[in-house]
Amino acid sequence: MQAAWMALGLVSVFGIAFLATALARAYALRRRLLDQPGERRSHAVATARGGGIAIVVSQLLAYLGIGMAVPQAAPTLAVFSAGLVLVAGIGWWDDHRPLPAWPRLGVHVLAGALLGALVWYWTGDALKAGFIALLTVALINIWNFMDGIDGLAATQALLAALAYALWLSPPFALPALLLAAGVLGFLPFNFPRARIFMGDVGSGALGYLLAGLVALGIAEGRVAWALWLMPLTAFCIDAGGTLLSRMLNGERWMEAHTQHLYQLHVKRGLSHITLTCNYAVFSIVGITLACAFARLSPAWGTGAAVAWSTMGLGLWWVSRSSVR
């Protein structure tokens, strides 16, 4: 019976996200919320934005249902949902009326602090809490930076969520499955041809939600810390490497640009479908390796994560050098 209720919940989240994405697209077209092609864009036609609100709504409704069914989980879900609302809210505002970077960053830091406080409450470990607070801010912005071509940010979030569902114990695996279901509801509108982009409301929310899953995993303590980052390696390397390169070159690194690896390949004529699938293959290989090492001691897991990240950084450097 419990499995049947879980299946019904996941199907409902998928359906809510699918329907809400369609409504978000109609709203965006009516309000003329469109991303126009340009030098700092990787698409060729004007496309509606803000579809990620559907993922946010699907998750919030799911948390509300869980909180009503399991009252002892309600306070934790309320705090986590507050952080999600903050991140999605500032993103929704920015989608309608662009904001300076610093107010957005301030909200991201506040959301990260809320999630860090939850980890501190769960574990009593200040180091884990601080790590999650910083990771939250990083992932919110990384997903925003990397949401530039059809399906890329959504498929990477989907793969990471499925990986976390495998590693978390049954009660804590549910949020990962809910996120996967919500992303699947949005994905048909975004890949293989985007009819709507998720916008800042969606990309930032995905980063926050993934940070929440990492927080659950680190608090549970079944798998080495570093392994939780392996499903995120592709985005962390491309976003982090590009940011560091721009800073070392004295560029205005907080401004929009098209210097990420995937953007450079688009300029060279590679299709969005090919690039999204290439990133997916890289992540699937990393997740497969992480699953194998998750069964071993934390030292082996950490070593595997470091080796995988080092190899990924080398591939990124070689590929970026070849297309610049």
Side-chain angles (χ1 to χ4, degrees):
M1 181 63 72
Q2 187 176 9
W5 278 108
M6 181 180 294
L8 178 61
L10 294 175
V11 171
S12 299
V13 168
F14 170 86
I16 291 169
F18 186 90
L19 177 60
T21 305
L23 294 174
R25 184 171 184 270
Y27 169 83
L29 292 175
R30 186 172 65 252
R31 291 287 303 269
R32 304 297 296 172
L33 294 177
L34 304 174
D35 276 343
Q36 301 291 341
E39 289 185 1
R40 295 179 177 177
R41 305 283 185 179
S42 297
H43 58 281
V45 298
T47 306
R49 68 173 178 267
I53 187 67
I55 300 174
V56 175
V57 170
S58 73
Q59 303 306 292
L60 289 174
L61 289 176
Y63 300 154
L64 177 62
I66 295 172
M68 294 175 65
V70 188
Q72 59 266 35
T76 295
L77 289 171
V79 175
F80 184 73
S81 297
L84 177 57
V85 169
L86 284 172
V87 174
I90 199 71
W92 182 251
W93 187 349
D94 195 45
D95 285 332
H96 285 73
R97 185 176 300 172
L99 294 168
W102 291 112
R104 287 184 282 121
L105 181 60
V107 172
H108 299 165
V109 169
L110 178 57
L114 286 175
L115 191 49
L118 280 178
V119 173
W120 198 349
Y121 173 74
W122 295 334
T123 67
D125 190 323
L127 180 60
K128 290 181 178 179
F131 173 75
I132 288 299
L134 292 174
L135 181 68
T136 301
V137 176
L139 289 183
I140 290 169
N141 287 279
I142 285 171
W143 244 259
N144 181 265
F145 297 155
M146 298 297 292
D147 179 31
I149 61 174
D150 300 355
L152 183 60
T155 55
Q156 288 294 302
L158 173 62
L159 291 171
L162 291 175
Y164 297 151
L166 291 174
W167 300 344
L168 290 163
S169 59
F172 303 116
L174 181 57
L177 292 173
L178 291 172
L179 177 56
V183 174
L184 278 173
F186 167 79
L187 197 55
F189 295 87
N190 189 243
F191 188 78
R193 183 182 66 83
R195 289 177 285 159
I196 188 168
F197 297 142
M198 66 175 61
D200 287 353
V201 61
S203 58
L206 281 184
Y208 177 83
L209 289 164
L210 290 170
L213 296 179
V214 175
L216 279 176
I218 288 179
E220 193 177 13
R222 297 174 61 195
V223 177
W225 286 26
L227 282 179
W228 290 97
L229 302 181
M230 282 184 69
L232 314 174
T233 302
F235 270 22
C236 289
I237 286 177
D238 198 356
T242 302
L243 177 63
L244 180 60
S245 175
R246 286 172 57 81
M247 293 175 71
L248 292 176
N249 291 333
E251 301 177 39
R252 302 183 67 174
W253 53 272
M254 294 188 70
E255 290 186 351
H257 61 86
T258 54
Q259 295 183 30
H260 292 295
L261 181 60
Y262 75 90
Q263 294 169 321
L264 296 176
H265 277 296
V266 168
K267 289 180 181 180
R268 293 290 294 269
L270 209 60
S271 73
H272 290 203
I273 294 175
T274 299
L275 279 167
T276 295
C277 289
N278 286 348
Y279 274 75
V281 168
F282 177 87
S283 292
I284 289 170
V285 173
I287 289 168
T288 303
L289 289 172
C291 287
F293 280 91
R295 302 173 183 175
L296 304 178
S297 68
W300 279 102
T302 301
V306 171
W308 178 249
S309 298
T310 302
M311 188 200 71
L313 185 60
L315 287 174
W316 174 83
W317 180 263
V318 170
S319 183
R320 195 166 188 264
S321 299
S322 69
V323 295
R324 283 186 66 104

